[in-house]
Amino acid sequence: PLRKHLFDTSPSVYPLTSFVRTSTHAHMYTFTHTHSHTHTQIMRDVPYAMITLVTYEVLQTFFAMRARARVKAEEEVLGGVHGAHSAGSVAAANGKSTPISDAICGATAGGVGTIFSAPMDVIKTRMMTTKQFMSVPEAAVRILREEGASTFAVGLYPRLMHKIPANALFFLCYESFRQMFGVDGDSR
């Protein structure tokens, strides 16, 4: 069942699909019903953003520490010869990340945030597309009891296919603009 849920693109997972397939009367219901469940979307998006940003910073710090260690090892091997370092090593020595490390860290962070927020995404979608649940805890308990834990992975694969490249590009651009505008935060 988990494999089936990971690749599920049914209307219950993507409300826009069901909206397009229904009549105009559904539009009125969808807008009001969706608007009244804004808190469920916030309950998914805030943890997603927190997990993604913390993961990104931890990964960037890890990459920076590894790069500095590599520069130190190169200096020891080369006997301190000036100018004998690779471009990535020079960037690391200056505390700057490389575009490839920005993209890799961003993609990984987006994937981690998506995986951890998947259960809340399922709950949010169910609450927004059905009238079965009155609260988030009720929805979580009923979904777990009636459909099993693997249900919380419904739509995970399509969401990962969206979030991983989107976050890679976002953090690549974010770091590029920081460098372009001379924004220098705490050195990693």
Side-chain angles (χ1 to χ4, degrees):
L2 179 60
R3 188 164 181 78
K4 175 187 166 276
H5 289 313
L6 288 175
F7 296 96
D8 189 2
T9 57
S10 67
S12 66
V13 176
Y14 296 98
L16 183 60
T17 315
S18 71
F19 170 72
V20 171
R21 294 180 189 161
T22 58
S23 68
T24 56
H25 296 291
H27 171 68
M28 303 270 291
Y29 166 76
T30 303
F31 176 74
T32 20
H33 193 64
T34 301
H35 186 65
S36 68
H37 289 291
T38 303
H39 68 281
T40 57
Q41 186 152 352
I42 291 170
M43 289 174 70
R44 180 208 56 191
D45 291 346
V46 170
Y48 166 79
M50 291 170 52
I51 291 167
T52 300
L53 291 171
V54 168
T55 303
Y56 177 77
E57 287 300 325
V58 167
L59 290 171
Q60 283 287 54
T61 301
F62 173 75
F63 272 102
M65 287 183 346
R66 280 192 58 205
R68 282 193 289 275
R70 188 174 58 243
V71 168
K72 187 175 179 181
E74 285 178 8
E75 286 176 350
E76 289 173 1
V77 169
L78 298 172
V81 177
H82 184 68
H85 302 293
S86 66
S89 297
V90 171
N94 294 331
K96 302 199 185 312
S97 59
T98 62
I100 191 73
S101 72
D102 296 338
I104 290 170
C105 291
T108 305
V112 170
T114 300
I115 290 168
F116 279 100
S117 64
M120 193 59 214
D121 187 52
V122 171
I123 293 168
K124 174 206 65 99
T125 303
R126 294 289 178 87
M127 289 184 73
M128 292 174 78
T129 58
T130 68
K131 291 184 177 182
Q132 296 177 358
F133 311 110
M134 296 302 292
S135 68
V136 171
E138 177 197 1
V141 169
R142 282 187 48 201
I143 290 169
L144 181 62
R145 191 178 309 144
E146 295 171 10
E147 301 175 48
S150 66
T151 303
F152 291 114
V154 169
L156 182 59
Y157 182 76
R159 199 161 170 244
L160 282 168
M161 292 301 100
H162 161 74
K163 292 292 188 179
I164 289 173
N167 277 281
L169 183 61
F170 171 80
F171 283 108
L172 176 67
C173 292
Y174 171 75
E175 292 293 345
S176 297
F177 281 115
R178 279 181 52 145
Q179 288 178 8
M180 186 180 357
F181 293 121
V183 177
D184 188 28
D186 294 334
S187 181
R188 293 182 179 103

